[in-house]
Amino acid sequence: MPVPAAPLIYNARDHGLTGDGVTNDQPALAELVDMAGEACAADGRARVVHCPPGVYSIRDAGTVWRSGVSLIGAGPGVTRFVLSNSGNRTDPTPLAFFTAIQHGAGPGNHLADCTFADFEIDGSDVALEEYDVLAKGLGLQYVLRGRFRGLYIHHTAASGLGCDFLQDSVVESVIAVGCGRLDSGEQIGGAGLGIGIGGWGAVERLTITGCTAVGNGTNGIFLELQDRRWTPPRGIRITNCHAEDNRYGISDWGADGLIVAACTMIGNRVAGFDVSGLGTTSVAGRGGVVTGCLVDGNVGDGISIGNTPGRYTVHGNRISRNGRYGYRQHNLPGGPSHASAEMVLDGNDIWGNALDGLRVDATLIDAVFLGNRIRDNGGRAAPAASGGGDTVTYAATCLTDTAAAWLPDGHRGKVLTVGVRTALVAANTATELVLAPFRPGASTAWTGEVPDPGTPYSLPGSPTVRAGVGLNAPTLDLTVRGNRIWDNQRAKTQTHGLWITDAGGCESGRVEDNDLAGNAVAAVRFDTAPSGGHWDRNHGLTITP
């Protein structure tokens, strides 16, 4: 039955919220959300809480959200919610939360038809004695037909948008900056956008599109299966997003058939795109597709995939200038050591990476490397170096040695040692090392003061072999066809087109129609000879195995 005189839109200013940046608006917001939720429960019509321009102080408690209640502002920077907990340091103080543990959220007790749009959440004033995963901007579980649109969430102690089990939902144009600031990088949560999955069953229809995640403590965007007994869900898409200067750019920790398309992943510390068992359930994604993405200039690997049963397709991406490998197949400790089946790398442009362009460090079965252009990798070719004295100066993110004559980017990805401290080299010129921040979002590479001028430093040497494709684990029935693997630089750094290490193998492989000519040392290097299979029409390979 309709509730007499119950409006469909509530102006927050008419219900006790001041927006003056001084008054604690949390009690009034909680009362208004309850009022709107009760009205929706009574007549089945969703309500909107509209917050006009202002700074709304939310102190010492989060607001338990209600089904059918939307929160709409006038735009980021115009409608701001400032979170703080100076009066209750034990409370993580999210703006809004509704969880299984605290509120009994579940498929039968979910939030429906809630939109959060056009406002800013500033979490920089939340301080905790210990990290708390609930110190989010938004922390909702089991949401049906949710819309998260036009939000700017920044400097929360844990994840910015940390919502789980979003069915028939869209996360669009959300900007998350500096979230997870109290996360060490090894704790759960701490992402810009962290989405738990699996609670609705085998299909969760979720689209994440047009979002930006910069400088977040763990992941820019991640999906994580929340119970290892659950079926990894299908139906999730991440499109047109930007992930920069996070620990990991975009991560798949448990989806099935995730589609990642037209995204930019740059400057992330460990990897641009990650599939692994790092999540709380140690379940990696499987069967996904990464296509049309730019994966460039990450401090570690470009694309890192492991702990997965396989069937991932990496198609039509630019994978370039990363500080370790362009693409790396490996199993991270703590997750299952799967032999990955039916992996496909098709039509990628893989160039300028510091070590091997494509590296296999975990067993592959029936993988296909088809039509890739793999060139000018192995850039970490500069020999060991050291210095100190009058020619050496330091800044927050660089070291300059005017007496040096380094190979440009020849130290990329190396660990710089200065006394007892270390930093990672993101890039270098002939005389300057550009250093990665010591953690995402930081403005300095140093955990303490900038080293004094003249302080001695050292850089390690480089590996002798740096290949286009490096097989450092067993492969069975591997297909390598139609790839061009070469180095066209004046000073070549990619030593070999194809390298099988002493720990690697190629059993029953089909290696055909590849162009391996033009590498610095030789077309191939076999520390372990391939066995069986079929090798034919490989330009530059004069001896058939």
Side-chain angles (χ1 to χ4, degrees), residues 6 51 140 155 237 247 252 299 371 374 474 524:
C51 288
L140 310 172
H155 299 103
R237 297 157 298 281
R247 185 171 175 83
D252 178 1
V299 180
I374 305 173
V524 297

Side-chain angles (χ1 to χ4, degrees), residues 391-417:
T391 63
V392 176
T393 57
Y394 296 88
T397 56
C398 72
L399 177 160
T400 301
D401 186 348
T402 57
W406 297 316
L407 174 70
D409 286 338
H411 295 302
R412 177 182 283 159
K414 289 185 180 181
V415 177
L416 169 70
T417 299

Side-chain angles (χ1 to χ4, degrees), residues 184-186 215-220 245-249 268-272 440:
S184 67
E186 303 293 338
N216 299 290
T218 56
N219 300 267
D245 186 30
N246 309 284
R247 185 171 175 83
Y248 296 88
N268 298 287
R269 188 172 180 85
V270 178

Side-chain angles (χ1 to χ4, degrees), residues 262-460:
C263 292
T264 299
M265 294 163 265
I266 60 176
N268 298 287
R269 188 172 180 85
V270 178
F273 180 76
D274 170 67
V275 177
S276 68
L278 281 178
T280 56
T281 58
S282 299
V283 176
R286 70 284 316 275
V289 177
V290 181
T291 184
C293 294
L294 173 66
V295 188
D296 180 75
N298 297 286
V299 180
D301 299 325
I303 294 180
S304 174
I305 296 183
N307 306 125
T308 175
R311 293 179 178 165
Y312 238 91
T313 296
V314 179
H315 168 74
N317 305 283
R318 172 182 152 184
I319 307 170
S320 56
R321 299 186 299 198
N322 298 292
R324 195 161 53 184
Y325 302 106
Y327 173 97
R328 187 183 185 199
Q329 186 78 36
H330 69 131
N331 289 319
L332 289 179
S337 294
H338 283 292
S340 298
E342 300 178 22
M343 304 293 292
V344 176
L345 278 84
D346 175 19
N348 300 286
D349 202 15
I350 303 173
W351 56 269
N353 300 288
L355 297 176
D356 301 350
L358 193 166
R359 175 78 168 193
V360 176
D361 283 328
T363 302
L364 289 179
I365 300 173
D366 255 337
V368 175
F369 305 158
L370 176 67
N372 301 286
R373 290 162 49 87
I374 305 173
R375 69 188 188 281
D376 303 347
N377 296 290
R380 194 189 296 179
S386 60
D390 293 343
T391 63
V392 176
T393 57
Y394 296 88
T397 56
C398 72
L399 177 160
T400 301
D401 186 348
T402 57
W406 297 316
L407 174 70
D409 286 338
H411 295 302
R412 177 182 283 159
K414 289 185 180 181
V415 177
L416 169 70
T417 299
V418 181
V420 297
R421 288 186 285 176
T422 60
L424 280 172
V425 179
N428 70 271
T429 67
T431 59
E432 182 178 88
L433 303 178
V434 178
L435 307 176
F438 77 90
R439 63 160 289 152
S443 59
T444 178
W446 314 102
T447 54
E449 295 296 322
V450 174
D452 292 330
T455 304
Y457 70 87
S458 63
L459 289 159

